Amino acid sequence: MEPLARHFWDGCAAGELRLRRCTSCDTWQTFPREFCTACGSTSLQWRRAAGTGTVHAATLVTRAPSDAFRPLVPYAILLVDLDEGVRMMAHGMPGLAIGQRVAVTFLAHEGRHLPRFVAL
Amino acid sequence: MAHIVGAGDTGFGRHEGRTTIDLMTQAATAALADAGLRRGDIDGLICGYSTTHPHLMLATVFAEHFGLDPVYAHAMQAGGATGCAMTMLAARLADAGQCRRILVIGAENRATGQSRDSSIQTLAQVGHPDFEVPYGATIPAYYALLASRYMHVHGVTEADLAEFAVLMRGHAANCPGAHQAAPITVADVLASKPIAAPLKLLDCCPISDGGVALVVAAEAAGGGAHIAGMGQAHRHQHITHAADLTQTGAALAAERALEEAWAGLDDIDYLAVYDSFTITLTMLLEEIGFAPRGGAAAMARAGAFGPAGSLPLNTHGGLLAFGHCGVGGGMAHIAEAYRQLAGKAGARQVPDRRTAFVHGDGGVMSSHVSLVLRAE
């Protein structure tokens, strides 16, 4: 795993959601990069997100891709619009509806702590 | 102005014991026969990737295997848009004077060449390796996320989506070589096994073996189709990064192709649109403008996309029923459009088709390529 992704996942293990923001133009990054795609600046900072947001899209997966995920079936995958203005993919409690307000929790699975949103 | 002068396919389904190279060979042989050409007539080769035969130099491998001596060879990967993208490149090569006759091929033993889990995991890798794949996401899950949002915003129902699965099976029933031609009903689709809600098994295309090849030529050969317009758009790779799920790039690609062809949507009388899932077809038809937002299913119910309708759509059965073998799956749309324009569609022939619109989508509405074909 590359270092920026590692920092995100280490944050999840520590119970926090970490995002990157450009210090030059204030653009938040959807995926962490070493540069800002909006202005090209390489001056970026990690910030701790509030961990709250709104469900943008939701699916309930019943056909897992691998043995590692079969024990979790059925599991909900969401796109969440975080209050900071960044969209992210995450797990969620089954049954969450589009437009619902949610807050992040973390689920330990296969060596990662997956962000898993619950109703706020 | 480049022309499609031949098309060939293997039929889709299960081809036990046949490799990617075998299926490429079979499709290429059929395309050459259709075009009335021999190996020595071909001076360009473009091959699509194969997940069961990942090679650094697939085009060169195939040129040697098949006995070609091309002045230009190229292997391409753009997911489901690869077939349209290869055809576009072939047309540009012909227009530029680089090649006179280009063989374009996509084939794969996607069904029998690997386990189902392996296939599902390979395809899931179009997602982000650090921020999407670790959630146990699959291609159906990515498209289900799209579907959930689209249904929420535009009032599309699961029964609406099901119409397209039913329609494609109906078309496949008239097409030799279709993978899944048994008729189904909307109720069957709704009752089929859930995969990634709101998508059920019958909302998803099957995984097939098969291959399709085309011959693109600088000069017309009589009775073919010419490639009048081409356009692309690539606005995101990952669904998490798609700013607007109702403007994915499909409409941009279509506008660019139509502009080059000096055509409008009203000039189109045949549709060949990528249909990996029922939601794919719904979103593409509506974003590009062939149906109003939320209205594609109503048009399907009214018969607009059937053989007797104003916009016959995927008359071979599309990915949902003719099948999906990877790159060849998207190429089958082009082959069918060519056959309809050239009067070679046999029992499926729709009379008097003049202008076809073809669209390929790669990834998760990530990579878009549109073609406008005209009858010679």
Side-chain angles (χ1 to χ4, degrees), chain B residues 276-295:
Chain B
S276 49
F277 300 93
T278 52
I279 185 63
T280 318
L281 198 44
T282 303
M283 287 179 69
L284 290 173
L285 288 169
E286 294 180 9
E287 181 180 325
I288 294 166
F290 290 110
R293 292 286 186 180

Side-chain angles (χ1 to χ4, degrees), chain B:
Chain B
M1 186 72 73
H3 310 262
I4 300 175
V5 299
D9 70 81
T10 63
F12 287 10
R14 293 182 71 82
H15 293 278
E16 300 286 349
R18 306 285 284 165
T19 65
T20 287
I21 299 292
D22 292 337
L23 294 164
M24 288 174 79
T25 299
Q26 191 179 336
T29 303
L32 285 182
D34 184 50
L37 296 170
R38 295 158 42 193
R39 283 166 170 70
D41 298 320
I42 298 296
D43 62 355
L45 175 65
I46 311 177
C47 299
Y49 69 94
S50 161
T51 66
T52 57
H53 190 90
H55 194 284
L56 301 183
M57 303 169 64
L58 187 59
T60 311
V61 167
F62 185 76
E64 175 194 285
H65 176 82
F66 195 61
L68 297 174
D69 192 10
V71 300
Y72 182 97
H74 187 122
M76 188 187 284
Q77 44 280 320
T82 307
C84 285
M86 291 194 297
T87 304
M88 177 170 176
L89 174 62
R92 296 287 190 231
L93 288 169
D95 288 341
Q98 175 65 52
C99 299
R100 292 187 60 220
R101 296 189 194 89
I102 302 125
L103 192 56
V104 178
I105 316 172
E108 187 174 332
N109 57 335
R110 186 168 280 191
T112 60
Q114 61 194 333
S115 73
R116 186 160 293 263
D117 266 11
S118 169
S119 178
I120 287 167
Q121 284 172 51
T122 298
L123 298 175
Q125 304 309 311
V126 303
H128 195 290
D130 292 319
F131 300 104
E132 293 181 341
V133 175
Y135 295 109
T138 58
I139 289 260
Y142 301 135
Y143 274 88
L145 286 167
L146 283 175
S148 73
R149 183 71 197 175
Y150 201 83
M151 292 162 76
H152 175 79
V153 173
H154 296 293
V156 173
T157 67
E158 292 187 41
D160 287 341
L161 297 181
E163 287 291 340
F164 289 99
V166 173
L167 181 74
M168 289 302 105
R169 285 292 187 96
H171 289 181
N174 299 312
C175 191
H179 187 172
Q180 294 186 336
I184 55 173
T185 64
V186 168
D188 292 334
V189 181
L190 296 177
S192 64
K193 190 175 75 168
I195 300 292
L199 301 178
K200 284 83 58 193
L201 184 65
L202 292 177
D203 286 298
C204 309
C205 63
I207 297 171
S208 316
D209 298 328
V212 178
L214 304 169
V215 180
V216 174
E219 294 166 17
H226 66 265
I227 304 169
M230 301 161 251
Q232 298 194 11
H234 311 267
R235 305 193 74 196
H236 65 270
Q237 171 62 33
H238 307 105
I239 184 176
T240 305
H241 226 289
D244 180 352
L245 299 183
T246 62
Q247 290 297 333
T248 62
L252 282 176
E255 282 164 23
R256 289 161 185 162
L258 290 162
E259 186 179 355
E260 186 179 16
W262 294 88
L265 293 174
D266 293 347
D267 297 310
I268 303 300
D269 59 17
Y270 180 82
L271 287 178
V273 178
Y274 203 78
D275 59 325
S276 49
F277 300 93
T278 52
I279 185 63
T280 318
L281 198 44
T282 303
M283 287 179 69
L284 290 173
L285 288 169
E286 294 180 9
E287 181 180 325
I288 294 166
F290 290 110
R293 292 286 186 180
M299 285 178 65
R301 284 187 197 98
F305 302 126
S310 55
L311 283 170
L313 167 71
N314 301 346
T315 46
H316 64 304
L319 300 166
L320 285 165
F322 189 79
H324 196 349
C325 64
V327 174
M331 288 186 67
H333 293 76
I334 312 171
E336 181 72 357
Y338 155 75
R339 286 167 180 156
Q340 287 288 357
L341 295 177
K344 292 180 168 184
R348 304 182 309 285
Q349 187 64 50
V350 182
D352 305 324
R353 296 301 101 179
R354 302 294 309 158
T355 313
F357 175 85
V358 187
H359 191 88
D361 146 46
V364 190
M365 293 288 200
S366 315
S367 181
H368 294 277
V369 186
S370 299
L371 306 172
V372 176
L373 309 181
R374 281 206 181 92
E376 303 287 7

